[in-house]
Amino acid sequence: VVYSIGDERRQEWHAELLDFSFQKVHQPGTLIRLVSGDHWSDERRVPVSAIGHTLVTPLFHPELRWPVANKVGALQYLFEALSEEHKLRNRNATILFLDPDMIFAHAWNPSQLVKKGEILGQRWFGYGKHYCLNSSILGEWCPEDDEPCFMYPFAMTLGDIEKLAPGIAQQAMSGYQKCGDWMTDMTAFVTAAAMEGLRVSTLDGLGLCNTWENRDDESAPILHYCQAIKDSSGVEILNKNSYTAWQPVPDPALST
């Protein structure tokens, strides 16, 4: 299970909460935290995972102020850091990729569901070919509809993601330089997979965002608290961008 965080205080508590949920549901596998940044000190120590492995990566493209640069850069860096022997020995290992603002609601093991040449992920609700064409330099690889379009969380073999990682980083960067939209990594994942000829399967309820219509599906193993949480009057009661660990939180019963 792999996720990355940048040099932000709020992403430190995101990571701690994800780790806690990993333990709470007895999620199988090994946890790997990627931490981007190069100016840690005694005052600001590297936020090391207490239950998994932590890899510190460079800070990628700070001049661009592009919030996703570290996600795609750290992904490529991870596979460059692994030894060839390790990658060969574990080429068929299944890797589940998460965003840091996700938690496990139930244990979920994709190792029996994903084979070489396959990707299993959350369906990208709202995908549009127009957005793909606008945010990619490889528009000929844009799917016609959202059926093969995936987003975080997703799973594939180590051997497959190793092949994809450099192309994802390059295509996401080129897309950002083209349109300036921060989500170009999502397009890059889809087009890179299409170029490699990987088979993509998507699920509607793998990692639920808290504003989706199916947000209350209790069978979903992963929850994505990417949007502000509001009460029945529409008042914002919790936001991942403004909450500071570990302030008191509102009564969950108030949340819609």
Side-chain angles (χ1 to χ4, degrees):
V1 179
V2 176
Y3 69 93
S4 65
I5 63 172
D7 181 16
E8 298 182 70
R9 289 286 190 186
R10 63 187 174 93
Q11 289 201 332
E12 291 185 23
W13 73 256
H14 296 173
E16 291 301 309
L17 187 58
L18 195 164
D19 286 13
F20 172 80
S21 72
F22 181 98
Q23 283 191 307
K24 186 75 172 177
V25 304
H26 305 291
Q27 170 65 21
T30 301
L31 194 67
I32 300 175
R33 178 188 296 184
L34 308 177
V35 180
S36 298
D38 55 7
H39 51 277
W40 306 100
S41 64
D42 290 340
E43 292 75 29
R44 185 79 191 284
R45 297 183 183 276
V46 176
V48 175
S49 173
I51 64 170
H53 300 285
T54 301
L55 176 66
V56 179
T57 78
L59 193 64
F60 298 93
H61 306 293
E63 75 283 357
L64 293 180
R65 298 184 180 276
W66 175 34
V68 184
N70 287 325
K71 181 192 290 187
V72 293
L75 181 64
Q76 181 178 3
Y77 186 91
L78 169 63
F79 294 101
E80 292 174 347
L82 294 174
S83 71
E84 294 303 317
E85 185 275 334
H86 179 92
K87 288 185 286 190
L88 180 63
R89 176 163 45 87
N90 293 283
R91 63 188 180 279
N92 294 320
T94 303
I95 305 184
L96 173 60
F97 293 91
L98 303 183
D99 273 341
D101 55 342
M102 291 180 173
I103 58 172
F104 285 98
H106 311 290
W108 187 69
N109 187 353
S111 64
Q112 302 302 314
L113 305 174
V114 178
K115 298 179 176 62
K116 180 181 179 181
E118 299 177 347
I119 299 173
L120 178 61
Q122 168 63 49
R123 178 176 294 185
W124 179 353
F125 288 127
Y127 167 83
K129 188 173 182 181
H130 175 75
Y131 175 77
C132 184
L133 292 172
N134 186 56
S135 59
S136 176
I137 60 170
L138 299 167
E140 65 272 23
W141 294 101
C142 289
E144 292 295 331
D145 54 49
D146 68 358
E147 179 62 33
C149 294
F150 65 99
M151 57 182 284
Y152 282 80
F154 62 91
M156 66 177 74
T157 67
L158 186 150
D160 285 333
I161 188 61
E162 181 191 4
K163 290 187 295 184
L164 288 186
I168 291 168
Q170 180 181 10
Q171 292 175 43
M173 169 62 71
S174 298
Y176 181 76
Q177 292 173 325
K178 175 184 177 181
C179 71
D181 190 298
W182 68 274
M183 292 198 310
T184 56
D185 67 308
M186 293 178 64
T187 301
F189 275 104
V190 171
T191 53
M195 291 176 67
E196 284 291 335
L198 299 182
R199 297 182 298 278
V200 178
S201 299
T202 59
L203 300 173
D204 289 345
L206 174 57
L208 298 179
C209 291
N210 57 292
T211 56
W212 289 351
E213 291 184 0
N214 62 336
R215 60 184 173 268
D216 293 325
D217 182 357
E218 294 186 2
S219 68
I222 298 166
L223 302 178
H224 192 182
Y225 55 97
C226 45
Q227 308 296 339
I229 298 172
K230 299 179 180 181
D231 66 15
S232 59
S233 300
V235 175
E236 183 176 300
I237 57 176
L238 190 69
N239 189 316
K240 71 169 188 178
N241 295 316
S242 58
Y243 175 73
T244 301
W246 296 100
Q247 293 175 335
V249 297
D251 181 354
L254 297 174
S255 169
T256 55

